Amino acid sequence: MPTQLPAPVRGVIDAANNGDTAAFLDQFAPGSGYVTDWGREVRGIDAISRWSNAEFIGKAIKLDIITFYRTDDDEIVVIAQLHNNGSSTPYTFTFQLADDRLAAMHINA
């Protein structure tokens, strides 16, 4: 189990908690990053930005990490409490890395 989150994963969490869309987008590998949100795939920085404004950072969410670990497939799994408009729900975020950026972020409950 890693003792620290890789920088791009920590960057996503911090960007979400700070409402910083530019910092969030900067965590993705140029030209190849994507998000899957409950099976819906969003590819490319422009599409990820629109999705985030409507579904993620634009919803003024806050994430509190419960735990995280690295899988045998070298993915980083973060279980976090997502707070939004008075509700609080645990979510699972799975991150795939591409060097020092994110290749993918997958979201499930």
Side-chain angles (χ1 to χ4, degrees), residues 4-86:
Q4 292 186 48
L5 286 172
V9 175
R10 171 51 64 194
V12 163
I13 303 295
D14 291 346
N17 287 340
N18 293 323
D20 190 341
T21 300
F24 170 68
L25 296 173
D26 192 46
Q27 304 310 308
F28 287 89
S32 63
Y34 70 99
V35 170
T36 57
D37 182 10
W38 292 72
R40 181 178 51 134
E41 189 172 293
V42 181
R43 281 197 175 270
I45 293 301
D46 290 340
I48 294 170
S49 179
R50 286 190 301 275
W51 166 82
S52 178
N53 289 335
E55 303 290 331
F56 195 58
I57 291 177
K59 295 281 188 180
I61 64 158
K62 299 293 181 198
L63 298 171
D64 289 325
I65 297 172
I66 297 168
T67 191
F68 63 92
Y69 57 92
R70 187 179 297 268
T71 70
D72 291 340
D73 294 330
D74 213 28
E75 296 176 325
I76 304 298
V77 177
V78 175
I79 300 170
Q81 201 73 19
L82 187 144
H83 306 280
N84 169 272
N85 293 327

